[in-house]
Amino acid sequence: MTAPFHLEKLLFTPATPADQAATVVFAFPNEYTIGITSLGYQVIWAMLAQRSDLAVSRLFTDGHEPLPTQIELLGFSMSWELDYANILTQLESLDVPILAGDRGNEHPLVFGGGPVLTANPEPFAAFFDVLLLGDGEVVLDAFIDAYQTVRDCDRPTQLRRLAQVPGVYIPALYEPIYDSPTGAIAAIQPIDADIPAVVEKQTYRGNTLSTSSVVTEQAAWENIYMVEVVRSCPEMCRFCLASYLTLPFRTAPVAGGLIPAVEKGMAVTDRLGLLGASVTQHPEFDDLLDYLNQPQFDDMRLSIASVRTNTVNQKLTKTLTRHGTKSITIAIESGSERVRQIVNKKLATDDIVAAAVNAKAGGLSALKLYGMAGIPGELPEDLETTADLMLQLKKAAPGLRLTLGCSTFVPKAHTPFQWYGVNPQADKRLKRLQKRLRPNGIDFRPESYNWSIIQALISRGDRRLTPLLLQAREFGDSLGSYKRAFKALKGELPPLDFYVHAHWERDQPLPWDHLQGLLPKATLLKHLDSATSHFAPDTPTPVLAASQS
């Protein structure tokens, strides 16, 4: 199989590998069209390919560049939890044992990075020799530089040396301890005093942000050139991994950063994508719009990531309409003001109505809103308020096509809501929303509740999930496969409910406590207290253990 690499337009110059360059295969655990659309994958590949001490090949599930006969480093960029099954298949295709403990000196060092592995790598820890936590701009070159110093050493020596590099996590050098086979985790400790007790996620603090390193018509977004306008989000919604994991909020300068980046991309394509968790909160966003509204960009097609609701004005919507965009997406989380206060969504209902009115007035034909069911502290009547809001928007902006995409709350590591489980009533609440909205002409698109269960299992999982993931892969990719695997492994790990639905005690050790994000646990608990202050009376909350409360 050969992916259409020949159709790529490169925006960087790969280095010519030196004699004796280390051989690297950089893989994406999905098809080429999906992987090449990942800005993170593009950027890391370009960083590797611009080093003359490396000879880099790419691997996707449906194709690859010529691969070396002896691979020294095998890397994976992971941005979706269930892609783990594809990683295992790719390892098998290269005759690499899927478990790190079964690999010897003759096998490549398998490393991984990306948002899934930075958030909580523990369920996947047994598959990787090396995990890179945090921003690639900081940790990647440090990892490669350190590897080159121990390239000729045996595997144990290599791993011990690499463990000293900030942000480089070597799972085999840490040992989990459990209260019991089916109980909570008690600790994860380094195997000896020479190994750091805590691995800190690495944060890039510069303001030169990422841009596409390749443009191709074979990307999922055909011929798109992507520019990262902001990184992280200043709102800090209490459930949001994209905000908490990537703090602090950083913005690229318009004059010295974004404008040269756009000019570089528009030299090879006419499609521009502006990326970021909250693009329109860039302090100079108006200046960027003025620049893009110049006559030389009249033929440019512009796409923009989710925008902050109270920044949707007619200047923005007219700019998007002029450049071929017919719809925008805003995240409201809930129609209930109280629930928005719980999650720290600083947004009034009037702001949401104004966004719909401005979208229509600016010439857009559709508005997509993102909501959530099962948010901690949410009551059934809050979902009714969400339905009421959608009907209110329909009246306020007649003719504007409205879509509500709605997910189930899933707890994520390193966020204030990591102690909360999935609300088992969320499925019923999604169905209730559907019943109220679809007959009224509103396109309601709920995300799969069953997928949310699996996502929560992995996002709060520990290393005891490794045999479960292997079993579920054998049984097939479905919620039923995971439930069947739990039944087969009963007594060897906690039940599904422990990982997915249980509210964890605030002082119990967490599977990722040895992996430090930007904010300490004490700060996350303060943010949790801020959220629960808006709960209705008698709402269950995570508590201190009975023996210590």
Side-chain angles (χ1 to χ4, degrees):
M1 298 180 294
T2 305
F5 300 108
H6 63 285
L7 297 173
E8 295 176 341
K9 300 171 185 172
L10 294 192
L11 291 150
F12 72 99
T13 303
T16 300
D19 291 342
Q20 307 303 312
T23 54
V24 181
V25 171
F26 188 45
F28 192 90
N30 213 309
E31 296 177 354
Y32 172 83
T33 186
I34 296 170
I36 206 62
T37 312
S38 164
L39 182 58
Y41 180 83
Q42 286 190 20
V43 168
I44 298 302
W45 162 56
M47 287 181 68
L48 293 169
Q50 289 176 93
R51 292 186 62 127
S52 61
D53 58 347
L54 302 178
V56 184
S57 306
R58 288 176 291 162
L59 170 68
F60 301 89
T61 56
D62 60 345
H64 57 80
E65 293 175 308
L67 301 179
T69 53
Q70 191 68 34
I71 303 168
E72 290 185 49
L73 295 170
L74 172 57
F76 291 91
S77 176
M78 191 175 182
S79 50
W80 191 52
E81 288 89 343
L82 291 191
D83 273 346
Y84 85 86
N86 290 335
I87 289 177
L88 303 188
T89 300
Q90 287 173 307
L91 288 170
E92 289 172 336
S93 75
L94 297 171
D95 293 324
V96 177
I98 60 175
L99 295 177
D102 294 336
R103 297 177 197 140
N105 292 333
E106 70 276 19
H107 296 117
L109 282 183
V110 177
F111 70 94
V116 170
L117 296 173
T118 293
N120 176 23
E122 290 306 289
F124 311 109
F127 309 138
F128 290 93
D129 299 296
V130 177
L131 289 158
L132 308 181
L133 307 183
D135 293 332
E137 294 99 329
V138 180
V139 73
L140 184 70
D141 280 337
F143 161 61
I144 298 295
D145 290 346
Y147 169 74
Q148 294 288 13
T149 68
V150 289
R151 184 180 174 191
D152 297 326
C153 300
D154 62 22
R155 198 178 199 87
T157 304
Q158 290 178 339
L159 295 177
R160 282 185 163 272
R161 168 66 186 92
L162 293 170
Q164 305 304 318
V165 179
V168 174
Y169 173 43
I170 310 297
L173 301 181
Y174 295 79
E175 182 180 12
I177 301 165
Y178 306 101
D179 288 336
S180 69
T182 59
I185 196 164
I188 292 192
Q189 300 172 341
I191 59 172
D192 61 47
D194 294 334
I195 307 302
V198 173
V199 184
E200 291 192 20
K201 180 188 92 65
Q202 297 300 288
T203 300
Y204 168 66
R205 297 182 180 275
N207 62 359
T208 301
L209 301 183
S210 300
T211 59
S212 287
S213 60
V214 61
V215 168
T216 174
E217 65 190 51
Q218 295 298 312
W221 298 332
E222 181 182 339
N223 282 324
I224 195 164
Y225 174 77
M226 296 174 283
V227 176
E228 186 184 20
V229 178
V230 301
R231 188 172 297 183
S232 194
C233 175
E235 295 306 303
M236 298 177 72
C237 292
R238 303 312 188 200
F239 58 82
C240 184
L241 186 65
S243 178
Y244 277 87
L245 193 68
T246 58
L247 289 170
F249 182 59
R250 283 143 289 169
T251 61
V254 169
L258 296 179
I259 286 176
V262 170
E263 288 174 346
K264 182 178 179 182
M266 293 306 96
V268 296
T269 185
D270 64 355
R271 186 169 183 190
L272 175 67
L274 301 180
L275 302 189
S278 195
V279 170
T280 53
Q281 283 183 277
H282 191 293
E284 302 174 284
F285 190 72
D286 253 18
D287 296 339
L288 181 60
L289 290 182
D290 290 339
Y291 170 72
L292 297 176
N293 279 324
Q294 293 180 103
Q296 69 261 36
F297 298 121
D298 281 351
D299 296 331
M300 180 187 72
R301 292 179 295 159
L302 178 63
S303 303
I304 191 167
S306 177
V307 301
R308 177 149 173 81
T309 305
N310 59 7
T311 62
V312 180
N313 54 36
Q314 288 192 36
K315 181 175 182 178
L316 171 64
T317 55
K318 285 179 178 177
T319 299
L320 293 170
T321 301
R322 177 179 173 184
H323 292 290
T325 292
K326 295 181 168 55
S327 69
I328 55 169
T329 301
I330 59 175
I332 62 166
E333 316 318 341
S334 175
S336 162
E337 295 248 12
R338 187 183 66 85
V339 172
R340 293 200 297 272
Q341 287 177 324
I342 288 172
V343 301
N344 199 41
K345 194 81 176 179
K346 307 172 194 76
L347 198 59
T349 298
D350 288 348
D351 294 331
I352 302 170
V353 176
V357 171
N358 286 332
K360 174 83 186 305
L364 297 177
S365 59
L367 176 67
K368 182 172 184 179
L369 301 94
Y370 275 125
M372 194 177 284
I375 291 169
E378 172 193 276
L379 301 172
E381 50 263 39
D382 294 316
L383 273 295
E384 297 297 330
T385 308
T386 299
D388 292 340
L389 173 63
M390 295 304 297
L391 298 175
Q392 182 184 351
L393 297 180
K394 189 178 180 187
K395 287 181 182 175
L400 186 69
R401 191 170 71 254
L402 296 173
T403 299
L404 178 62
C406 203
S407 61
T408 297
F409 161 74
V410 171
K412 296 290 187 179
H414 307 289
T415 70
F417 282 171
Q418 64 187 353
W419 287 276
Y420 273 96
V422 173
N423 188 332
Q425 297 299 313
D427 198 24
K428 286 182 182 175
R429 294 179 185 180
L430 289 171
K431 287 175 177 151
R432 174 63 185 157
L433 272 176
Q434 180 170 303
K435 196 172 180 182
R436 283 205 59 197
L437 294 177
R438 284 189 178 168
N440 286 293
I442 291 171
D443 184 8
F444 180 64
R445 299 182 186 175
E447 287 187 14
S448 162
Y449 174 78
N450 287 347
W451 154 235
S452 299
I453 297 298
I454 298 170
Q455 201 181 9
L457 168 68
I458 292 173
S459 70
R460 288 174 115 198
D462 52 50
R463 297 191 191 184
R464 289 171 293 186
L465 290 190
T466 300
L468 182 104
L469 295 177
L470 294 173
Q471 283 269 30
R473 179 183 176 231
E474 295 299 317
F475 293 151
D477 262 344
S478 70
L479 181 62
S481 304
Y482 286 83
K483 288 184 172 176
R484 189 176 159 198
F486 267 106
K487 192 175 286 188
L489 294 165
K490 188 174 181 180
E492 298 177 34
L493 75 171
L496 178 72
D497 184 73
F498 169 81
Y499 291 111
V500 173
H501 296 297
H503 296 343
W504 288 354
E505 293 167 350
R506 293 163 59 121
D507 56 352
Q508 78 179 62
L510 301 173
W512 48 87
D513 272 352
H514 60 306
L515 308 174
Q516 179 61 54
L518 194 73
L519 297 182
K521 192 188 274 190
T523 302
L524 298 181
L525 284 167
K526 284 181 184 176
H527 291 187
L528 177 64
D529 289 337
S530 171
T532 58
S533 70
H534 299 287
F535 280 18
D538 303 322
T539 304
T541 62
V543 295
L544 290 172
S547 61
Q548 298 176 33
S549 57

